[in-house]
């Protein structure tokens, strides 16, 4: 059969490369938990411990008994891997398609773009759907050029007050409408570095990397954006499996390709992320 010459490993590698290049939200997640997960329903235990109590005593009391050993809180979180995004489409004759330069590459890239879009939307929507997501304001804040920097500074300040260190990179993934108001208000936004062209980067604001994405979570009526401002440790993301295969559908005369990616994401350091719930003039 024609599809017998299809090499799924090549497609898997191509899709994974493109996903790394195209994903905006996923790039800024902690990816160290993927491990050996291979099947839907498996889970990752993300280890965490609370902070110990630090006690300071005077030099004169150095020979006194110290307090007994405390029990450190276990802050581990279980992240099930339960999300599958798949594709399934006809190609015609795979042998002929592979014989034409660029056809299979184009199909692979289009597939990757669609998958990357689904991954980013899923991570973006954690701002609404994950119960650990914390809004920086109890009510939606209306932003415009006159106050956007003030509001942006508030959320950054909140992160620092939560003990995020000043040398820790903070990432704000914003919607296009937020970005252009920010750019209008802050004309010194650093946009001259060629690295900013990768994975949605559009500028730097102090120690904050600004990234732009159409996948920023929105309210049902589209009036409110839920913008994630976070460190790269705040969200854990795992994509342990990419699968593709070619086959011949019984109800047609064309070859087809189907496949899926298995993944999931979860907020694991809620103190290192705030959601800017903003609306516009």
């Amino acid at each position: 059969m024609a599809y017998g010459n299809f090499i799924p490993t090549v497609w898997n590698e191509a899709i994974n490369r493109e996903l790394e290049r195209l994903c905006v939200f996923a790039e800024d997640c902690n990816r160290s938990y993927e491990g050996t997960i291979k099947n839907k329903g498996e889970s990752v235990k993300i280890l965490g411990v609370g902070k110990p109590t630090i006690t300071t005593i005077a030099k004169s009391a150095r020979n006194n008994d110290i307090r007994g050993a405390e029990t450190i809180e276990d802050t581990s979180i279980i992240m099930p891997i339960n999300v599958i995004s798949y594709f399934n489409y006809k190609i015609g004759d795979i042998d002929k398609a592979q014989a034409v330069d660029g056809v299979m590459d184009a199909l692979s890239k289009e597939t990757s773009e669609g998958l990357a879009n689904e991954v980013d939307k899923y991570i973006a929507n954690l701002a609404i759907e994950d119960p650990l997501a914390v809004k920086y304001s109890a009510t939606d804040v209306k932003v415009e050029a006159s106050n956007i920097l003030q509001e942006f500074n508030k959320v950054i300040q909140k992160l620092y007050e939560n003990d995020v260190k000043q040398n820790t990179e903070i990432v704000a993934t914003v919607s296009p409408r937020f970005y252009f108001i920010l750019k209008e208000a802050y004309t010194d936004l650093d946009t001259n570095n060629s690295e900013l062209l990768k994975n949605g980067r559009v500028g730097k604001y102090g120690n904050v990397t600004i990234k732009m994405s159409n996948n920023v979570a929105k309210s049902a009526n589209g009036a409110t954006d839920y913008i994630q401002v976070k460190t790269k440790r705040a969200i854990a993301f795992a994509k342990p499996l990419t699968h593709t295969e070619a086959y011949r559908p019984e109800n047609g005369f064309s070859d087809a390709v189907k496949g899926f990616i298995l993944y999931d994401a979860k907020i694991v350091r809620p103190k290192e992320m705030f959601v800017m719930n903003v609306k516009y003039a």
Side-chain angles (χ1 to χ4, degrees), residues 138-279:
T139 58
D140 294 348
V141 175
K142 187 176 181 180
V143 296
E144 50 194 352
S146 62
N147 75 334
I148 193 169
L149 290 178
Q150 179 184 3
E151 297 301 331
F152 200 32
N153 287 337
K154 285 181 183 178
V155 70
I156 298 167
Q157 178 182 335
K158 284 177 178 289
L159 286 172
Y160 289 141
E161 288 173 348
N162 275 356
D163 287 334
V164 171
K165 304 305 179 187
Q166 291 184 18
N167 61 350
T168 300
E169 183 182 3
I170 296 171
V171 180
T173 307
V174 306
S175 63
R177 53 185 175 177
F178 187 97
Y179 167 67
F180 284 105
I181 296 173
L182 178 65
K183 189 175 180 182
E184 178 185 353
Y186 185 60
T187 56
D188 291 331
L189 192 68
D190 178 7
T191 57
N192 295 320
N193 190 333
S194 61
E195 287 295 309
L196 298 176
L197 299 177
K198 298 180 180 180
N199 293 76
R201 292 175 179 82
V202 289
K204 288 279 288 185
Y205 178 71
N207 191 41
V208 182
T209 298
I210 310 296
K211 302 177 76 172
M212 184 170 64
S213 172
N214 277 327
N215 289 322
V216 167
K218 294 178 174 56
S219 60
N221 63 4
T224 303
D225 285 344
Y226 297 97
I227 294 168
Q228 295 180 10
V229 184
K230 63 183 185 296
T231 73
K232 292 186 176 183
R233 301 179 299 186
I235 295 177
F237 172 71
K239 182 184 66 63
L241 182 61
T242 301
H243 174 80
T244 57
E245 62 181 84
Y247 70 106
R248 189 83 169 181
E250 292 183 2
N251 59 347
F253 298 99
S254 296
D255 296 332
V257 174
K258 61 182 177 180
F260 67 87
I261 56 172
L262 173 66
Y263 61 96
D264 219 317
K266 186 175 181 60
I267 297 172
V268 294
R269 293 199 177 198
K271 289 187 176 181
E272 296 188 17
M273 172 176 162
F274 281 97
V275 176
M276 289 190 72
N277 44 313
V278 298
K279 56 185 179 180

Side-chain angles (χ1 to χ4, degrees), residues 72-118:
I72 300 295
E73 179 187 5
D74 182 357
T75 60
S76 300
I77 293 176
I78 301 297
M79 181 174 74
I81 309 298
N82 280 325
V83 183
I84 289 177
S85 293
Y86 73 90
F87 56 91
N88 183 13
Y89 54 84
K90 295 178 181 178
I91 289 182
D93 188 303
I94 285 182
D95 275 351
K96 289 181 180 179
Q98 291 183 144
V100 179
D101 287 343
V103 172
M104 297 299 282
D105 285 344
L107 287 171
S108 176
K109 288 180 179 179
E110 289 291 337
T111 302
S112 300
E113 287 181 8
L115 293 172
N117 202 47
E118 292 303 307

